[in-house]
Each structure stands twice: as C-alpha cells, then as structure tokens.
C-alpha cells in the first residue's frame, strides 16, 4: 500500500542505510510494472503467468464458485485466524 515505507521497513530490518536515490531506485524497480516488464528475463517462460494484470479480484474470472469455496476453506483451515492470515487482507480481496 505504501511502497516507500515498505522498502524503508525492510532496509531498517536488515540494518541497511539507503540514500534517497537508492530508495527510489528500489521502489521503482520493485513496482509491478517494472517486474512485469522484466518478467521474461527474471522468471523465464513463467513470467507472463506470475505478472499478469496487477489488479485485485481478477480471480473471479479464473476460479469457479466451487474452486473458490475450496480455497476459502483451505485458507481458513491453514492460516485463518493467525497473524500471517491477516497480512494478505483475504477477507477484502479474496472473498466473494
């Protein structure tokens, strides 16, 4: 949600001091658009699969209702209610 703050948090965690120029470079190079542009180089033939659109909720065009119910159940069983389970904002982006 806030790429600049996210990069700062990661750098702080690892004890890395970034200049403003380095910070902006990391933010730019880690953007969806940049990663998609370089996906064939970085991920080979699977690049187009990993970096398709860059939007949320497109799963509705790929999953059937049955598949989505199975995914919801698996999510709830494995990581629902955990600290990790709150990170992807599953309820907001992945529930029908």
């Amino acid at each position: 949600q806030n790429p600049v703050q996210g990069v700062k948090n990661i750098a702080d965690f690892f004890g890395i001091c970034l200049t403003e120029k380095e910070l902006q470079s990391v933010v730019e190079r880690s953007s969806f658009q940049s990663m998609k542009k370089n996906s064939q180089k970085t991920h080979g033939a699977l690049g187009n699969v990993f970096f398709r659109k860059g939007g949320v909720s497109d799963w509705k065009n790929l999953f059937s209702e049955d598949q989505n119910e199975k995914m919801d159940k698996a999510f709830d069983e494995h990581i629902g209610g955990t600290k990790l389970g709150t990170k992807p904002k599953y309820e907001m982006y992945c529930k029908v």
Side-chain angles (χ1 to χ4, degrees):
Q1 292 176 344
N2 184 338
V4 172
Q5 189 60 52
V7 171
K8 285 181 181 179
N9 291 346
I10 293 168
D12 287 346
F13 178 81
F14 286 107
I16 299 170
C17 192
L18 295 174
T19 66
E20 189 61 32
K21 185 177 179 180
E22 291 170 327
L23 174 66
Q24 290 305 316
S25 176
V26 172
V27 169
E28 181 181 309
R29 292 174 71 189
S30 61
S31 72
F32 180 84
Q33 293 78 13
S34 178
M35 290 189 292
K36 181 174 177 141
K37 185 174 109 183
N38 295 309
S39 67
Q40 293 290 315
K41 238 187 293 183
T42 58
H43 292 80
L46 294 177
N48 289 334
V49 174
F50 289 133
F51 302 98
R52 278 185 344 101
K53 291 186 176 186
V56 297
S57 297
D58 191 45
W59 62 268
K60 295 174 186 174
N61 296 317
L62 302 171
F63 279 58
S64 68
E65 283 189 41
D66 183 53
Q67 290 171 318
N68 186 57
E69 286 176 19
K70 287 178 183 175
M71 183 64 199
D72 288 345
K73 183 178 178 189
F75 180 90
D76 289 339
E77 286 176 4
H78 296 284
I79 64 172
T82 67
K83 187 174 180 182
L84 177 63
T86 63
K87 295 293 182 188
K89 298 187 180 180
Y90 190 82
E91 293 293 324
M92 181 185 302
Y93 297 122
C94 301
K95 292 274 187 173
V96 178

